[in-house]
Amino acid sequence: MSLYVVNRDSGLALYAQIAQQLEQVALNQFAPGDCLPSEGDLAARFGVNRHTLRRAVDELVEAGLLERRHGLGIFVLDTQLDYQIGKGTRFTENLAALGFMTENRILRKQTIGAVSRVAQRLSIQEGDAVHWIETLRMVEQRPMCLISHFVPAEKFPNLFERFESGSLHALLGSVYGCKLRRTESLVTSVLPQGDDAKTLGMPQNRPVLRVKSVNVDDQDGTPVEYAITRFRADRIQLRINP
């Protein structure tokens, strides 16, 4: 970063001018996760005292662009994507409509006996066979969320052979004639479990947004998928419309 000039006669508060310039610097010269120079260094470059500089940084922290980490410094945050959760929301279509490149990586395909909570959501018996598929969703080549899909094995035979890439929901519709409709979404903020943090490329002590969803067959209302999605909370905000 070079020296920056503020206009003391413009009528616009110095901290506001600094916030405007610092926002452009953060967006154009730094990547998400980068650490900015210290407040003392920034104050010297703008030719202001640290109190004024700190107020400018406060503006950008409140706006969600920067983050203070105690003892470490000021860091550039990811711009949060606005992701809508609705009755027929699909990850790929939603983000593609916003102009983002997405990728779906299949991490696991396994048939298991349904544990109690999965059986309850799918209205089947505990121990009944379910297909468990674990997928990693990427946006602009960066990890965004992990999804655990559970679907009744009896209803979707040969699913593993047919699902190699792309959207699981699209495949269930085109191959099995099952159009899914979301009926429930429970959202909580939790710390990542297991190897989720490593897979999502994030610190273990930063939260994820966990969304537990039930999707039913749009024709008869039969539950056909229970999904547990873990979003990187620093990269997304969830919009839930009635």
Side-chain angles (χ1 to χ4, degrees):
M1 292 178 61
S2 57
L3 291 174
Y4 289 87
V5 178
V6 292
N7 186 348
R8 299 177 184 273
D9 299 319
S10 71
L12 183 64
L14 293 181
Y15 80 87
Q17 295 182 50
I18 295 170
Q20 290 177 353
Q21 294 187 52
L22 198 55
E23 178 180 5
Q24 294 304 310
V25 170
L27 292 174
N28 297 322
Q29 299 182 24
F30 291 83
D34 284 350
C35 182
L36 295 183
S38 69
E39 288 187 347
D41 190 4
L42 289 173
R45 297 188 190 200
F46 280 101
V48 297
N49 60 47
R50 293 187 64 168
H51 175 77
T52 300
L53 188 283
R54 188 173 296 114
R55 186 172 179 185
V57 172
D58 286 342
E59 292 287 310
L60 299 181
V61 169
E62 291 181 9
L65 178 66
L66 302 180
E67 177 188 43
R68 283 194 178 91
R69 299 181 189 172
H70 183 69
L72 297 176
I74 305 167
F75 290 81
V76 179
L77 289 177
D78 277 315
T79 302
Q80 290 185 319
L81 297 177
D82 189 16
Y83 183 75
Q84 179 176 327
I85 295 181
K87 292 181 179 180
T89 300
R90 290 180 180 172
F91 184 90
T92 302
E93 288 84 345
N94 190 310
L95 294 180
L98 296 175
F100 294 100
M101 293 179 57
T102 64
E103 179 186 354
N104 183 24
R105 299 180 183 177
I106 301 173
L107 306 181
R108 181 195 303 268
K109 293 190 288 188
Q110 186 176 347
T111 302
I112 61 174
V115 298
S116 176
R117 71 177 184 278
V118 173
Q120 181 181 6
R121 300 300 196 285
L122 293 176
S123 297
I124 59 177
Q125 296 297 313
E126 186 174 349
D128 284 356
V130 293
H131 293 319
W132 170 28
I133 301 175
E134 199 85 0
T135 60
L136 171 65
R137 302 299 179 88
M138 310 284 290
V139 178
E140 301 292 333
Q141 300 182 332
R142 298 162 63 197
M144 178 62 67
C145 67
L146 279 165
I147 308 177
S148 300
H149 310 263
F150 300 94
V151 299
E154 182 179 7
K155 187 174 182 66
F156 302 107
N158 304 316
L159 177 60
F160 292 162
E161 292 82 356
R162 292 167 171 170
F163 182 50
E164 297 294 341
S165 63
S167 167
L168 175 62
H169 288 190
L171 181 135
L172 296 182
S174 62
V175 175
Y176 297 93
C178 182
K179 181 180 179 182
L180 273 59
R181 171 170 52 87
R182 188 189 304 262
T183 60
E184 178 181 83
S185 292
L186 303 176
V187 183
T188 53
S189 176
V190 298
L191 291 177
Q193 301 177 1
D195 59 356
D196 283 2
K198 181 179 179 181
T199 305
L200 288 169
M202 60 180 288
Q204 188 74 42
N205 62 351
R206 301 294 298 277
V208 295
L209 289 178
R210 184 178 64 193
V211 182
K212 298 179 179 180
S213 303
V214 174
N215 292 296
V216 302
D217 188 324
D218 194 43
Q219 292 185 346
D220 59 15
T222 302
V224 292
E225 183 198 32
Y226 174 51
I228 306 174
T229 306
R230 289 85 75 198
F231 289 99
R232 281 194 55 153
D234 60 341
R235 292 185 176 171
I236 203 159
Q237 66 176 7
L238 301 178
R239 181 184 299 274
I240 303 176
N241 295 327

